[in-house]
């Protein structure tokens, strides 16, 4: 099992460019999450999904969109990147309901917006 | 309101010293979960422990131990006989309501030879 994988691992964007981060999990988890980590901060939830075709906003959703077309994949999109979106992005997945806090994290994607 | 407080931003110890990382949490829920994660310089998040609110037993795993005290809303983490490989950022996290894990800001531990 690969667990949770993220593509790409690193990316540099110019202000205004767009990109999509891909998260994939092979654990058949229902729930998936996107967090961002900024220096000196813990992780903050951007968006999450409780099942295929469903998404919801987390604590810091502005400037991001997500899609969950397949159960195993969760995409995070930046339509018009801004320097404030320079961060490390972590994807996570978990089983449903009572065990939703047992989240398995991917290795992270380091994004720099210049 | 901040739900998880890790008051120690940075700690530096010499190898073989014991070190305790503090975590204070805030919640009104009776059912909640507490976690510790390690983030080494390579950047990934490594799960260390999960505790639910109904289990106040302390836990020991090798050189690691955790002290959970509901009376003081604390879930502290002690490394005994620290090693250079323990150098990392350590995060305490709370799962109580909603779907997010609420992370503290982390404590950066540096262990020098």
């Amino acid at each position: 099992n690969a667990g949770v994988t993220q593509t790409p691992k690193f990316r540099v964007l110019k202000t205004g460019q767009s990109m999509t981060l891909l998260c994939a999990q092979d654990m058949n988890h229902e729930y998936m999450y996107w967090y961002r980590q900024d220096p000196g901060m813990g992780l903050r939830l951007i968006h999450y999904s409780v099942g295929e075709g469903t998404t919801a906003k987390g604590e810091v959703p502005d400037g991001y969109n997500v899609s969950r077309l397949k159960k195993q994949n969760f995409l995070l999109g930046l339509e018009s990147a801004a320097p404030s979106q320079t961060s490390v992005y972590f994807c996570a997945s978990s089983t449903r309901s009572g065990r939703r806090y047992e989240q398995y994290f991917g290795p992270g994607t380091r994004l720099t917006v210049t | 309101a901040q739900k998880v407080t890790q008051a120690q931003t940075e700690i530096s110890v010499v190898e073989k010293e014991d070190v305790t990382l503090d975590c204070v949490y805030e919640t009104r829920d009776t059912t909640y979960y507490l976690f510790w994660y390690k983030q080494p310089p390579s950047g990934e998040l490594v799960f260390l422990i999960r505790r639910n609110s109904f289990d106040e037993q302390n836990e020991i795993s090798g050189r690691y131990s955790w002290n959970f005290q509901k009376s003081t809303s604390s879930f502290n983490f002690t490394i005994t006989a620290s090693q250079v490989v323990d150098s990392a950022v350590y995060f305490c996290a709370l799962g109580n309501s909603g779907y997010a894990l609420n992370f503290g800001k982390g404590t950066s531990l540096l262990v020098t030879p």
Side-chain angles (χ1 to χ4, degrees):
Chain A
N1 281 356
V4 180
T5 59
Q6 293 182 229
T7 309
K9 289 186 169 51
F10 303 93
R11 186 73 187 267
V12 179
L13 286 180
K14 294 186 177 179
T15 298
Q17 288 185 321
S18 63
M19 79 162 293
T20 300
L21 281 66
L22 169 64
C23 175
Q25 52 94 5
D26 61 3
M27 296 174 282
N28 201 34
H29 284 167
E30 288 79 12
Y31 295 0
M32 296 187 74
Y33 316 81
W34 276 107
Y35 289 87
R36 62 177 286 172
Q37 181 184 20
D38 300 303
M41 303 284 289
L43 278 67
R44 293 180 293 168
L45 186 66
I46 304 171
H47 285 280
Y48 63 96
S49 168
V50 298
E52 187 176 320
T54 71
T55 62
K57 294 180 180 180
E59 180 186 353
V60 288
D62 294 342
Y64 305 95
N65 56 74
V66 288
S67 63
R68 183 110 181 258
L69 299 179
K70 293 182 179 180
K71 184 177 183 179
Q72 64 268 33
N73 294 338
F74 194 27
L75 305 180
L76 178 71
L78 287 72
E79 290 186 348
S80 180
S84 61
Q85 294 178 305
T86 294
S87 190
V88 179
Y89 292 86
F90 286 96
C91 177
S93 70
S94 70
T95 56
R96 64 174 68 230
S97 195
R99 301 185 75 85
R100 66 184 181 275
Y101 298 119
E102 294 181 23
Q103 297 179 10
Y104 294 76
F105 285 87
T109 295
R110 186 173 295 275
L111 174 66
T112 302
V113 183
T114 62
Chain B
Q2 190 174 3
K3 295 184 177 183
V4 178
T5 301
Q6 295 181 255
Q8 305 148 308
T9 306
E10 295 180 355
I11 301 176
S12 182
V13 299
V14 177
E15 207 170 19
K16 297 184 183 177
E17 285 185 13
D18 299 346
V19 58
T20 295
L21 309 182
D22 298 333
C23 173
V24 174
Y25 62 92
E26 175 189 334
T27 180
R28 294 180 181 176
D29 298 306
T30 55
T31 301
Y32 53 90
Y33 301 86
L34 294 163
F35 300 80
W36 276 95
Y37 286 88
K38 174 182 180 179
Q39 188 175 44
S42 52
E44 74 273 24
L45 284 165
V46 178
F47 166 82
L48 295 178
I49 190 171
R50 167 187 179 266
R51 259 287 175 266
N52 71 55
S53 53
F54 301 109
D55 183 2
E56 282 194 78
Q57 271 192 328
N58 292 330
E59 180 150 341
I60 297 174
S61 176
R63 296 184 296 106
Y64 295 171
S65 62
W66 290 269
N67 184 302
F68 176 27
Q69 292 197 343
K70 290 176 74 171
S71 60
T72 56
S73 297
S74 65
F75 186 43
N76 296 338
F77 172 33
T78 297
I79 302 174
T80 302
S82 59
Q83 300 176 0
V84 172
V85 293
D86 295 326
S87 295
V89 180
Y90 291 87
F91 291 98
C92 180
L94 167 69
N96 55 331
S97 60
Y99 292 88
L101 276 174
N102 296 289
F103 283 80
K105 293 186 176 182
T107 296
S108 178
L109 175 65
L110 177 64
V111 182
T112 56

